Amino acid sequence: MNISRRCCLIHSSIIRALKFSSVKFEGTTRSKYRGPKMELTLTQPDDWHLHLRDGDLLKGVAPHSSNHFGRAIVMPNLKPPITTTAAAIAYRDSILKAVPADSNFTPLMTLYLTDKTKPEEIKLARQSGVVFAVKLYPAGATTNSQDGVTDLFGNCLPVLEEMVEQNMPLLVHGEVTDPDIDVFDREKVFIDTILQPLIQRLPRLKVVMEHITTMDAVRFVESGKEGYLAATVTPQHLLLSRNALFQGGLQPHNYCLPVLKRDIHRQAIVSAVTSGSKNFFLGTDSAPHERRKKECPCGCAGIYSAPIALSLYAKVFDEAGALDKLEAFTSFNGPDFYGLPRNTTKIKLKKNSWKVPLSFSFPFGDIVPMYAGETLEWQPCLS
C-alpha cells in the first residue's frame, strides 16, 4: 500500500501497527491543544540503532518500528548472538515475516563481533548485501553481551583491518566493563583508553559511537573527521537525566545502559543534535522487555521508545527552537554516513496533543513504553 495514502487519526499510528495487541489508556484521548495547528512534513526517517528481539517479542514490536521508519540498523545481541552472515540473513527473514504485509520497512543487519570473528566473515557480510555494520559489545557491558569482545586490539585487529578494506562501519557500545570504574565514568574511560587509540591506529575505519550519554562523547565525535566518526542519539538521553531513575521512587522503566547521566551531559547532547551537525543522527536504542522482567529484583536494562520516538525527538527540537534542523537529524545524516540513498517517502508530524499508552499488551505480557501515560504534543501521521 502506498504510504502516502495512509490517514492520520489520534493514536492510529500506534494502534494500527498491532494486529493482536491491546493498548491501555488512562483518561481521555481528546486533543487538548488549542493553539494554531502546526504541521511538519519530513522525509521518512530511519532508525540507526534498534532492538527487535526474536520470537513472540519480535512479532509484537516489529510493527511499531515499521510503521514509522523506512529502515533500521538491527542489533545482533540475541541468544545466541548473530555472529555470521548466514545467521543475519535468517534473522532478516524472520523480521520481514513479523512486519505488516503492506510495509516498505527494510531491516539492515549487523554482525556481533567476538574474539573469534574472522576477516573472512567480514568479506561474506559485505558480499551479502544484507549486512551493513559490525557491532562491538565489550563483554559484560549490557544485555546479552556475555559473548562480546574481551580484548579488542589483541583479538580483533585483523577483523578491524578487513572492515576498513570493506568499508564496513563499526558500531560501538562505548563503555568499559572494569568493575573498579564508576558506572557513570565508563563512557569517558572507554573513549580515552579504547576509542581514541582505535581511531589513531585505523583512521579510515568508519565508527559510530552508539547512544552517547556524555559531553565527553559529544566533544570526541565533534573532533572526528566527518564521514568517519559519528554518533547515534536516543530519546532518553535527550530528555532524561539520572534523576528520572529515582523521582517518585525507583523507576525501572527509565533504566537503560549506558545509564542516564547528569543534566549537564543531557544539555550538551541536545545542543549537539540541534546544532545542525552532520555527525549525529537518530538511533532510538528502543529495547523492549516485558513488564515482569523490568519490575523485578534484578530488572533488565532497556527503554522501549519505538512507538513514540518521533514524537519525542520533535519535542526536543521544538523546545530548542530548532525544528528546521529536525529532518536532517532524523532522515539525512544517517543514510549519508552509511552511503545509502535517502528515503523518498514522506511522513507528517502534527502538533496535536495525545496521551502515550500506559502499556502495550500482548499474549505474552505487557511492555511499558517511555513516557507511559504522559501527554505529548507532536504526533506522527503517515501522509
PDB file of all heavy atoms in Angstrom, residues 48 209 212 214 217-223 229-233 268-269 271-283 317 325 328-334 337:
ATOM      1  N   TRP A  48      18.716   4.114  13.277  1.00  0.00           N
ATOM      2  CA  TRP A  48      20.055   3.563  13.083  1.00  0.00           C
ATOM      3  C   TRP A  48      20.569   2.815  14.298  1.00  0.00           C
ATOM      4  O   TRP A  48      21.774   2.518  14.384  1.00  0.00           O
ATOM      5  CB  TRP A  48      21.007   4.682  12.652  1.00  0.00           C
ATOM      6  CG  TRP A  48      20.560   5.260  11.347  1.00  0.00           C
ATOM      7  CD1 TRP A  48      19.812   6.393  11.160  1.00  0.00           C
ATOM      8  CD2 TRP A  48      20.755   4.704  10.041  1.00  0.00           C
ATOM      9  NE1 TRP A  48      19.543   6.572   9.828  1.00  0.00           N
ATOM     10  CE2 TRP A  48      20.103   5.550   9.114  1.00  0.00           C
ATOM     11  CE3 TRP A  48      21.417   3.570   9.562  1.00  0.00           C
ATOM     12  CZ2 TRP A  48      20.101   5.307   7.747  1.00  0.00           C
ATOM     13  CZ3 TRP A  48      21.416   3.327   8.192  1.00  0.00           C
ATOM     14  CH2 TRP A  48      20.766   4.184   7.302  1.00  0.00           C
ATOM     15  N   MET A 209      29.662   5.798  17.359  1.00  0.00           N
ATOM     16  CA  MET A 209      29.543   5.644  18.804  1.00  0.00           C
ATOM     17  C   MET A 209      28.059   5.662  19.127  1.00  0.00           C
ATOM     18  O   MET A 209      27.385   6.680  18.977  1.00  0.00           O
ATOM     19  CB  MET A 209      30.285   6.762  19.525  1.00  0.00           C
ATOM     20  CG  MET A 209      30.436   6.496  21.005  1.00  0.00           C
ATOM     21  SD  MET A 209      31.507   7.688  21.832  1.00  0.00           S
ATOM     22  CE  MET A 209      31.531   6.979  23.483  1.00  0.00           C
ATOM     23  N   ILE A 212      25.193   7.877  22.673  1.00  0.00           N
ATOM     24  CA  ILE A 212      26.107   8.661  23.509  1.00  0.00           C
ATOM     25  C   ILE A 212      25.355   9.288  24.681  1.00  0.00           C
ATOM     26  O   ILE A 212      24.188   9.647  24.575  1.00  0.00           O
ATOM     27  CB  ILE A 212      26.857   9.726  22.699  1.00  0.00           C
ATOM     28  CG1 ILE A 212      25.883  10.730  22.067  1.00  0.00           C
ATOM     29  CG2 ILE A 212      27.753   9.091  21.653  1.00  0.00           C
ATOM     30  CD1 ILE A 212      26.584  11.949  21.485  1.00  0.00           C
ATOM     31  N   THR A 214      27.309  11.490  27.229  1.00  0.00           N
ATOM     32  CA  THR A 214      28.103  12.483  27.952  1.00  0.00           C
ATOM     33  C   THR A 214      28.599  13.597  27.036  1.00  0.00           C
ATOM     34  O   THR A 214      28.701  13.435  25.822  1.00  0.00           O
ATOM     35  CB  THR A 214      29.342  11.832  28.598  1.00  0.00           C
ATOM     36  OG1 THR A 214      30.178  11.290  27.557  1.00  0.00           O
ATOM     37  CG2 THR A 214      28.949  10.723  29.567  1.00  0.00           C
ATOM     38  N   ALA A 217      31.614  12.461  25.090  1.00  0.00           N
ATOM     39  CA  ALA A 217      31.339  11.806  23.811  1.00  0.00           C
ATOM     40  C   ALA A 217      31.008  12.830  22.736  1.00  0.00           C
ATOM     41  O   ALA A 217      31.433  12.692  21.578  1.00  0.00           O
ATOM     42  CB  ALA A 217      30.198  10.813  23.973  1.00  0.00           C
ATOM     43  N   VAL A 218      30.249  13.850  23.097  1.00  0.00           N
ATOM     44  CA  VAL A 218      29.926  14.914  22.138  1.00  0.00           C
ATOM     45  C   VAL A 218      31.200  15.555  21.600  1.00  0.00           C
ATOM     46  O   VAL A 218      31.384  15.709  20.385  1.00  0.00           O
ATOM     47  CB  VAL A 218      29.016  15.971  22.800  1.00  0.00           C
ATOM     48  CG1 VAL A 218      28.932  17.219  21.914  1.00  0.00           C
ATOM     49  CG2 VAL A 218      27.628  15.414  23.053  1.00  0.00           C
ATOM     50  N   ARG A 219      32.100  15.906  22.503  1.00  0.00           N
ATOM     51  CA  ARG A 219      33.342  16.565  22.096  1.00  0.00           C
ATOM     52  C   ARG A 219      34.188  15.636  21.230  1.00  0.00           C
ATOM     53  O   ARG A 219      34.795  16.070  20.243  1.00  0.00           O
ATOM     54  CB  ARG A 219      34.128  17.002  23.337  1.00  0.00           C
ATOM     55  CG  ARG A 219      33.468  18.140  24.104  1.00  0.00           C
ATOM     56  CD  ARG A 219      34.126  18.326  25.450  1.00  0.00           C
ATOM     57  NE  ARG A 219      33.486  19.396  26.226  1.00  0.00           N
ATOM     58  CZ  ARG A 219      33.657  19.572  27.530  1.00  0.00           C
ATOM     59  NH1 ARG A 219      34.457  18.750  28.216  1.00  0.00           N
ATOM     60  NH2 ARG A 219      33.033  20.558  28.171  1.00  0.00           N
ATOM     61  N   PHE A 220      34.220  14.358  21.595  1.00  0.00           N
ATOM     62  CA  PHE A 220      35.010  13.403  20.837  1.00  0.00           C
ATOM     63  C   PHE A 220      34.472  13.256  19.415  1.00  0.00           C
ATOM     64  O   PHE A 220      35.244  13.294  18.441  1.00  0.00           O
ATOM     65  CB  PHE A 220      35.013  12.049  21.543  1.00  0.00           C
ATOM     66  CG  PHE A 220      35.769  10.986  20.802  1.00  0.00           C
ATOM     67  CD1 PHE A 220      37.151  11.014  20.738  1.00  0.00           C
ATOM     68  CD2 PHE A 220      35.099   9.957  20.161  1.00  0.00           C
ATOM     69  CE1 PHE A 220      37.855  10.041  20.042  1.00  0.00           C
ATOM     70  CE2 PHE A 220      35.783   8.981  19.462  1.00  0.00           C
ATOM     71  CZ  PHE A 220      37.177   9.026  19.403  1.00  0.00           C
ATOM     72  N   VAL A 221      33.175  13.124  19.283  1.00  0.00           N
ATOM     73  CA  VAL A 221      32.571  12.962  17.958  1.00  0.00           C
ATOM     74  C   VAL A 221      32.757  14.230  17.136  1.00  0.00           C
ATOM     75  O   VAL A 221      33.066  14.173  15.934  1.00  0.00           O
ATOM     76  CB  VAL A 221      31.079  12.595  18.091  1.00  0.00           C
ATOM     77  CG1 VAL A 221      30.390  12.626  16.723  1.00  0.00           C
ATOM     78  CG2 VAL A 221      30.927  11.217  18.723  1.00  0.00           C
ATOM     79  N   GLU A 222      32.592  15.375  17.761  1.00  0.00           N
ATOM     80  CA  GLU A 222      32.762  16.636  17.042  1.00  0.00           C
ATOM     81  C   GLU A 222      34.207  16.842  16.577  1.00  0.00           C
ATOM     82  O   GLU A 222      34.449  17.552  15.590  1.00  0.00           O
ATOM     83  CB  GLU A 222      32.327  17.807  17.928  1.00  0.00           C
ATOM     84  CG  GLU A 222      30.822  17.878  18.150  1.00  0.00           C
ATOM     85  CD  GLU A 222      30.404  18.991  19.090  1.00  0.00           C
ATOM     86  OE1 GLU A 222      31.239  19.414  19.917  1.00  0.00           O
ATOM     87  OE2 GLU A 222      29.234  19.426  19.007  1.00  0.00           O
ATOM     88  N   SER A 223      35.153  16.208  17.253  1.00  0.00           N
ATOM     89  CA  SER A 223      36.562  16.361  16.887  1.00  0.00           C
ATOM     90  C   SER A 223      36.976  15.420  15.765  1.00  0.00           C
ATOM     91  O   SER A 223      38.070  15.555  15.207  1.00  0.00           O
ATOM     92  CB  SER A 223      37.453  16.076  18.108  1.00  0.00           C
ATOM     93  OG  SER A 223      37.457  14.686  18.428  1.00  0.00           O
ATOM     94  N   LEU A 229      33.538   9.342  11.676  1.00  0.00           N
ATOM     95  CA  LEU A 229      33.150   9.230  13.077  1.00  0.00           C
ATOM     96  C   LEU A 229      31.810   9.918  13.280  1.00  0.00           C
ATOM     97  O   LEU A 229      31.633  11.075  12.900  1.00  0.00           O
ATOM     98  CB  LEU A 229      34.204   9.863  13.989  1.00  0.00           C
ATOM     99  CG  LEU A 229      33.939   9.798  15.493  1.00  0.00           C
ATOM    100  CD1 LEU A 229      33.834   8.358  15.976  1.00  0.00           C
ATOM    101  CD2 LEU A 229      35.032  10.540  16.261  1.00  0.00           C
ATOM    102  N   ALA A 230      30.862   9.187  13.840  1.00  0.00           N
ATOM    103  CA  ALA A 230      29.523   9.728  14.059  1.00  0.00           C
ATOM    104  C   ALA A 230      28.946   9.133  15.333  1.00  0.00           C
ATOM    105  O   ALA A 230      29.579   8.301  15.993  1.00  0.00           O
ATOM    106  CB  ALA A 230      28.618   9.423  12.859  1.00  0.00           C
ATOM    107  N   ALA A 231      27.736   9.560  15.674  1.00  0.00           N
ATOM    108  CA  ALA A 231      27.080   9.058  16.888  1.00  0.00           C
ATOM    109  C   ALA A 231      25.579   8.978  16.675  1.00  0.00           C
ATOM    110  O   ALA A 231      24.991   9.832  16.002  1.00  0.00           O
ATOM    111  CB  ALA A 231      27.384   9.945  18.083  1.00  0.00           C
ATOM    112  N   THR A 232      24.979   7.942  17.248  1.00  0.00           N
ATOM    113  CA  THR A 232      23.523   7.903  17.341  1.00  0.00           C
ATOM    114  C   THR A 232      23.108   8.445  18.698  1.00  0.00           C
ATOM    115  O   THR A 232      23.860   8.363  19.678  1.00  0.00           O
ATOM    116  CB  THR A 232      22.976   6.476  17.170  1.00  0.00           C
ATOM    117  OG1 THR A 232      23.557   5.615  18.162  1.00  0.00           O
ATOM    118  CG2 THR A 232      23.276   5.942  15.793  1.00  0.00           C
ATOM    119  N   VAL A 233      21.895   8.993  18.748  1.00  0.00           N
ATOM    120  CA  VAL A 233      21.395   9.622  19.966  1.00  0.00           C
ATOM    121  C   VAL A 233      19.972   9.136  20.222  1.00  0.00           C
ATOM    122  O   VAL A 233      19.135   9.124  19.313  1.00  0.00           O
ATOM    123  CB  VAL A 233      21.425  11.155  19.858  1.00  0.00           C
ATOM    124  CG1 VAL A 233      20.984  11.789  21.171  1.00  0.00           C
ATOM    125  CG2 VAL A 233      22.820  11.645  19.478  1.00  0.00           C
ATOM    126  N   ALA A 268      24.307  19.023  26.869  1.00  0.00           N
ATOM    127  CA  ALA A 268      25.359  19.036  25.847  1.00  0.00           C
ATOM    128  C   ALA A 268      24.942  18.219  24.624  1.00  0.00           C
ATOM    129  O   ALA A 268      25.217  18.609  23.482  1.00  0.00           O
ATOM    130  CB  ALA A 268      26.658  18.475  26.433  1.00  0.00           C
ATOM    131  N   ILE A 269      24.262  17.104  24.861  1.00  0.00           N
ATOM    132  CA  ILE A 269      23.806  16.271  23.749  1.00  0.00           C
ATOM    133  C   ILE A 269      22.711  16.991  22.967  1.00  0.00           C
ATOM    134  O   ILE A 269      22.702  16.975  21.726  1.00  0.00           O
ATOM    135  CB  ILE A 269      23.323  14.904  24.266  1.00  0.00           C
ATOM    136  CG1 ILE A 269      24.476  14.165  24.953  1.00  0.00           C
ATOM    137  CG2 ILE A 269      22.780  14.053  23.124  1.00  0.00           C
ATOM    138  CD1 ILE A 269      24.034  12.932  25.721  1.00  0.00           C
ATOM    139  N   SER A 271      22.325  20.204  22.651  1.00  0.00           N
ATOM    140  CA  SER A 271      22.969  21.266  21.878  1.00  0.00           C
ATOM    141  C   SER A 271      23.631  20.712  20.628  1.00  0.00           C
ATOM    142  O   SER A 271      23.579  21.332  19.552  1.00  0.00           O
ATOM    143  CB  SER A 271      24.011  21.987  22.744  1.00  0.00           C
ATOM    144  OG  SER A 271      23.394  22.665  23.827  1.00  0.00           O
ATOM    145  N   ALA A 272      24.234  19.542  20.747  1.00  0.00           N
ATOM    146  CA  ALA A 272      24.932  18.948  19.609  1.00  0.00           C
ATOM    147  C   ALA A 272      23.961  18.557  18.507  1.00  0.00           C
ATOM    148  O   ALA A 272      24.174  18.876  17.331  1.00  0.00           O
ATOM    149  CB  ALA A 272      25.737  17.734  20.071  1.00  0.00           C
ATOM    150  N   VAL A 273      22.881  17.861  18.854  1.00  0.00           N
ATOM    151  CA  VAL A 273      21.990  17.349  17.811  1.00  0.00           C
ATOM    152  C   VAL A 273      21.156  18.455  17.185  1.00  0.00           C
ATOM    153  O   VAL A 273      20.746  18.350  16.018  1.00  0.00           O
ATOM    154  CB  VAL A 273      21.073  16.221  18.338  1.00  0.00           C
ATOM    155  CG1 VAL A 273      21.883  15.076  18.910  1.00  0.00           C
ATOM    156  CG2 VAL A 273      20.067  16.727  19.357  1.00  0.00           C
ATOM    157  N   THR A 274      20.896  19.519  17.922  1.00  0.00           N
ATOM    158  CA  THR A 274      20.086  20.616  17.382  1.00  0.00           C
ATOM    159  C   THR A 274      20.941  21.691  16.707  1.00  0.00           C
ATOM    160  O   THR A 274      20.414  22.696  16.238  1.00  0.00           O
ATOM    161  CB  THR A 274      19.225  21.265  18.478  1.00  0.00           C
ATOM    162  OG1 THR A 274      20.074  21.755  19.531  1.00  0.00           O
ATOM    163  CG2 THR A 274      18.234  20.257  19.050  1.00  0.00           C
ATOM    164  N   SER A 275      22.256  21.458  16.653  1.00  0.00           N
ATOM    165  CA  SER A 275      23.155  22.444  16.046  1.00  0.00           C
ATOM    166  C   SER A 275      23.179  22.358  14.532  1.00  0.00           C
ATOM    167  O   SER A 275      23.653  23.270  13.858  1.00  0.00           O
ATOM    168  CB  SER A 275      24.576  22.225  16.570  1.00  0.00           C
ATOM    169  OG  SER A 275      25.122  21.009  16.048  1.00  0.00           O
ATOM    170  N   GLY A 276      22.699  21.224  14.001  1.00  0.00           N
ATOM    171  CA  GLY A 276      22.777  21.004  12.572  1.00  0.00           C
ATOM    172  C   GLY A 276      23.985  20.183  12.159  1.00  0.00           C
ATOM    173  O   GLY A 276      24.189  19.933  10.968  1.00  0.00           O
ATOM    174  N   SER A 277      24.790  19.731  13.114  1.00  0.00           N
ATOM    175  CA  SER A 277      25.956  18.917  12.804  1.00  0.00           C
ATOM    176  C   SER A 277      25.548  17.629  12.097  1.00  0.00           C
ATOM    177  O   SER A 277      24.584  16.970  12.478  1.00  0.00           O
ATOM    178  CB  SER A 277      26.722  18.566  14.087  1.00  0.00           C
ATOM    179  OG  SER A 277      27.706  17.590  13.842  1.00  0.00           O
ATOM    180  N   LYS A 278      26.311  17.238  11.065  1.00  0.00           N
ATOM    181  CA  LYS A 278      26.032  16.014  10.321  1.00  0.00           C
ATOM    182  C   LYS A 278      26.542  14.762  11.036  1.00  0.00           C
ATOM    183  O   LYS A 278      26.285  13.644  10.584  1.00  0.00           O
ATOM    184  CB  LYS A 278      26.668  16.095   8.935  1.00  0.00           C
ATOM    185  CG  LYS A 278      26.090  17.198   8.053  1.00  0.00           C
ATOM    186  CD  LYS A 278      26.768  17.215   6.692  1.00  0.00           C
ATOM    187  CE  LYS A 278      26.177  18.306   5.808  1.00  0.00           C
ATOM    188  NZ  LYS A 278      26.830  18.340   4.466  1.00  0.00           N
ATOM    189  N   ASN A 279      27.243  14.954  12.143  1.00  0.00           N
ATOM    190  CA  ASN A 279      27.860  13.825  12.836  1.00  0.00           C
ATOM    191  C   ASN A 279      26.915  13.087  13.776  1.00  0.00           C
ATOM    192  O   ASN A 279      27.309  12.072  14.365  1.00  0.00           O
ATOM    193  CB  ASN A 279      29.074  14.296  13.645  1.00  0.00           C
ATOM    194  CG  ASN A 279      30.189  14.804  12.765  1.00  0.00           C
ATOM    195  OD1 ASN A 279      30.294  14.406  11.608  1.00  0.00           O
ATOM    196  ND2 ASN A 279      31.002  15.690  13.285  1.00  0.00           N
ATOM    197  N   PHE A 280      25.680  13.584  13.921  1.00  0.00           N
ATOM    198  CA  PHE A 280      24.736  12.977  14.857  1.00  0.00           C
ATOM    199  C   PHE A 280      23.463  12.606  14.113  1.00  0.00           C
ATOM    200  O   PHE A 280      22.969  13.379  13.293  1.00  0.00           O
ATOM    201  CB  PHE A 280      24.415  13.944  16.002  1.00  0.00           C
ATOM    202  CG  PHE A 280      25.640  14.411  16.746  1.00  0.00           C
ATOM    203  CD1 PHE A 280      26.315  15.567  16.371  1.00  0.00           C
ATOM    204  CD2 PHE A 280      26.134  13.678  17.821  1.00  0.00           C
ATOM    205  CE1 PHE A 280      27.442  15.992  17.045  1.00  0.00           C
ATOM    206  CE2 PHE A 280      27.270  14.093  18.511  1.00  0.00           C
ATOM    207  CZ  PHE A 280      27.933  15.255  18.117  1.00  0.00           C
ATOM    208  N   PHE A 281      22.937  11.413  14.416  1.00  0.00           N
ATOM    209  CA  PHE A 281      21.691  11.019  13.778  1.00  0.00           C
ATOM    210  C   PHE A 281      20.871  10.104  14.679  1.00  0.00           C
ATOM    211  O   PHE A 281      21.332   9.645  15.730  1.00  0.00           O
ATOM    212  CB  PHE A 281      21.914  10.385  12.400  1.00  0.00           C
ATOM    213  CG  PHE A 281      23.066   9.435  12.278  1.00  0.00           C
ATOM    214  CD1 PHE A 281      22.918   8.093  12.584  1.00  0.00           C
ATOM    215  CD2 PHE A 281      24.303   9.876  11.820  1.00  0.00           C
ATOM    216  CE1 PHE A 281      23.972   7.206  12.438  1.00  0.00           C
ATOM    217  CE2 PHE A 281      25.365   8.998  11.665  1.00  0.00           C
ATOM    218  CZ  PHE A 281      25.201   7.654  11.979  1.00  0.00           C
ATOM    219  N   LEU A 282      19.648   9.893  14.260  1.00  0.00           N
ATOM    220  CA  LEU A 282      18.640   9.207  15.055  1.00  0.00           C
ATOM    221  C   LEU A 282      18.985   7.725  15.243  1.00  0.00           C
ATOM    222  O   LEU A 282      19.240   7.013  14.286  1.00  0.00           O
ATOM    223  CB  LEU A 282      17.277   9.340  14.368  1.00  0.00           C
ATOM    224  CG  LEU A 282      16.016   8.820  15.045  1.00  0.00           C
ATOM    225  CD1 LEU A 282      14.802   9.528  14.455  1.00  0.00           C
ATOM    226  CD2 LEU A 282      15.849   7.314  14.930  1.00  0.00           C
ATOM    227  N   GLY A 283      18.978   7.296  16.492  1.00  0.00           N
ATOM    228  CA  GLY A 283      19.097   5.877  16.834  1.00  0.00           C
ATOM    229  C   GLY A 283      18.395   5.666  18.151  1.00  0.00           C
ATOM    230  O   GLY A 283      18.894   6.075  19.199  1.00  0.00           O
ATOM    231  N   PHE A 317      13.504  19.036  19.593  1.00  0.00           N
ATOM    232  CA  PHE A 317      13.856  20.077  18.629  1.00  0.00           C
ATOM    233  C   PHE A 317      12.927  21.282  18.741  1.00  0.00           C
ATOM    234  O   PHE A 317      13.359  22.425  18.556  1.00  0.00           O
ATOM    235  CB  PHE A 317      13.838  19.498  17.211  1.00  0.00           C
ATOM    236  CG  PHE A 317      15.086  18.746  16.857  1.00  0.00           C
ATOM    237  CD1 PHE A 317      15.319  17.476  17.364  1.00  0.00           C
ATOM    238  CD2 PHE A 317      16.038  19.304  16.020  1.00  0.00           C
ATOM    239  CE1 PHE A 317      16.476  16.770  17.049  1.00  0.00           C
ATOM    240  CE2 PHE A 317      17.200  18.611  15.691  1.00  0.00           C
ATOM    241  CZ  PHE A 317      17.414  17.342  16.215  1.00  0.00           C
ATOM    242  N   LYS A 325      15.926  21.939  11.819  1.00  0.00           N
ATOM    243  CA  LYS A 325      17.053  21.011  11.742  1.00  0.00           C
ATOM    244  C   LYS A 325      16.642  19.570  12.044  1.00  0.00           C
ATOM    245  O   LYS A 325      17.483  18.656  12.012  1.00  0.00           O
ATOM    246  CB  LYS A 325      18.156  21.453  12.699  1.00  0.00           C
ATOM    247  CG  LYS A 325      18.755  22.821  12.348  1.00  0.00           C
ATOM    248  CD  LYS A 325      19.839  23.217  13.329  1.00  0.00           C
ATOM    249  CE  LYS A 325      20.520  24.513  12.910  1.00  0.00           C
ATOM    250  NZ  LYS A 325      19.596  25.658  12.923  1.00  0.00           N
ATOM    251  N   ALA A 328      17.125  16.786   9.001  1.00  0.00           N
ATOM    252  CA  ALA A 328      18.488  16.319   8.757  1.00  0.00           C
ATOM    253  C   ALA A 328      18.879  15.258   9.777  1.00  0.00           C
ATOM    254  O   ALA A 328      19.470  14.229   9.432  1.00  0.00           O
ATOM    255  CB  ALA A 328      19.460  17.487   8.804  1.00  0.00           C
ATOM    256  N   PHE A 329      18.523  15.473  11.040  1.00  0.00           N
ATOM    257  CA  PHE A 329      18.856  14.525  12.108  1.00  0.00           C
ATOM    258  C   PHE A 329      18.114  13.209  11.934  1.00  0.00           C
ATOM    259  O   PHE A 329      18.695  12.128  12.094  1.00  0.00           O
ATOM    260  CB  PHE A 329      18.511  15.148  13.468  1.00  0.00           C
ATOM    261  CG  PHE A 329      18.671  14.217  14.629  1.00  0.00           C
ATOM    262  CD1 PHE A 329      19.927  13.925  15.146  1.00  0.00           C
ATOM    263  CD2 PHE A 329      17.558  13.619  15.210  1.00  0.00           C
ATOM    264  CE1 PHE A 329      20.063  13.055  16.223  1.00  0.00           C
ATOM    265  CE2 PHE A 329      17.685  12.753  16.279  1.00  0.00           C
ATOM    266  CZ  PHE A 329      18.946  12.468  16.787  1.00  0.00           C
ATOM    267  N   THR A 330      16.833  13.272  11.596  1.00  0.00           N
ATOM    268  CA  THR A 330      16.036  12.052  11.521  1.00  0.00           C
ATOM    269  C   THR A 330      16.182  11.312  10.206  1.00  0.00           C
ATOM    270  O   THR A 330      16.034  10.084  10.163  1.00  0.00           O
ATOM    271  CB  THR A 330      14.536  12.366  11.718  1.00  0.00           C
ATOM    272  OG1 THR A 330      14.089  13.228  10.654  1.00  0.00           O
ATOM    273  CG2 THR A 330      14.262  13.012  13.059  1.00  0.00           C
ATOM    274  N   SER A 331      16.498  12.028   9.115  1.00  0.00           N
ATOM    275  CA  SER A 331      16.309  11.447   7.787  1.00  0.00           C
ATOM    276  C   SER A 331      17.489  11.553   6.830  1.00  0.00           C
ATOM    277  O   SER A 331      17.519  10.819   5.833  1.00  0.00           O
ATOM    278  CB  SER A 331      15.090  12.110   7.121  1.00  0.00           C
ATOM    279  OG  SER A 331      13.979  12.128   7.988  1.00  0.00           O
ATOM    280  N   PHE A 332      18.448  12.444   7.090  1.00  0.00           N
ATOM    281  CA  PHE A 332      19.529  12.665   6.140  1.00  0.00           C
ATOM    282  C   PHE A 332      20.900  12.186   6.644  1.00  0.00           C
ATOM    283  O   PHE A 332      21.641  11.527   5.907  1.00  0.00           O
ATOM    284  CB  PHE A 332      19.638  14.148   5.780  1.00  0.00           C
ATOM    285  CG  PHE A 332      18.424  14.723   5.103  1.00  0.00           C
ATOM    286  CD1 PHE A 332      18.207  16.097   5.087  1.00  0.00           C
ATOM    287  CD2 PHE A 332      17.491  13.903   4.488  1.00  0.00           C
ATOM    288  CE1 PHE A 332      17.100  16.635   4.453  1.00  0.00           C
ATOM    289  CE2 PHE A 332      16.374  14.429   3.863  1.00  0.00           C
ATOM    290  CZ  PHE A 332      16.163  15.800   3.851  1.00  0.00           C
ATOM    291  N   ASN A 333      21.247  12.534   7.868  1.00  0.00           N
ATOM    292  CA  ASN A 333      22.607  12.290   8.347  1.00  0.00           C
ATOM    293  C   ASN A 333      22.957  10.802   8.384  1.00  0.00           C
ATOM    294  O   ASN A 333      24.091  10.417   8.076  1.00  0.00           O
ATOM    295  CB  ASN A 333      22.798  12.904   9.736  1.00  0.00           C
ATOM    296  CG  ASN A 333      22.657  14.415   9.726  1.00  0.00           C
ATOM    297  OD1 ASN A 333      22.645  15.038   8.672  1.00  0.00           O
ATOM    298  ND2 ASN A 333      22.538  15.018  10.902  1.00  0.00           N
ATOM    299  N   GLY A 334      21.995   9.975   8.781  1.00  0.00           N
ATOM    300  CA  GLY A 334      22.252   8.541   8.877  1.00  0.00           C
ATOM    301  C   GLY A 334      22.555   7.889   7.532  1.00  0.00           C
ATOM    302  O   GLY A 334      23.617   7.286   7.353  1.00  0.00           O
ATOM    303  N   PHE A 337      25.881   8.983   6.063  1.00  0.00           N
ATOM    304  CA  PHE A 337      27.051   8.364   6.682  1.00  0.00           C
ATOM    305  C   PHE A 337      27.250   6.939   6.172  1.00  0.00           C
ATOM    306  O   PHE A 337      28.375   6.521   5.880  1.00  0.00           O
ATOM    307  CB  PHE A 337      26.909   8.350   8.206  1.00  0.00           C
ATOM    308  CG  PHE A 337      28.084   7.741   8.927  1.00  0.00           C
ATOM    309  CD1 PHE A 337      29.184   8.514   9.253  1.00  0.00           C
ATOM    310  CD2 PHE A 337      28.103   6.388   9.251  1.00  0.00           C
ATOM    311  CE1 PHE A 337      30.287   7.950   9.904  1.00  0.00           C
ATOM    312  CE2 PHE A 337      29.199   5.816   9.893  1.00  0.00           C
ATOM    313  CZ  PHE A 337      30.288   6.602  10.226  1.00  0.00           C
TER     314      PHE A 337
END
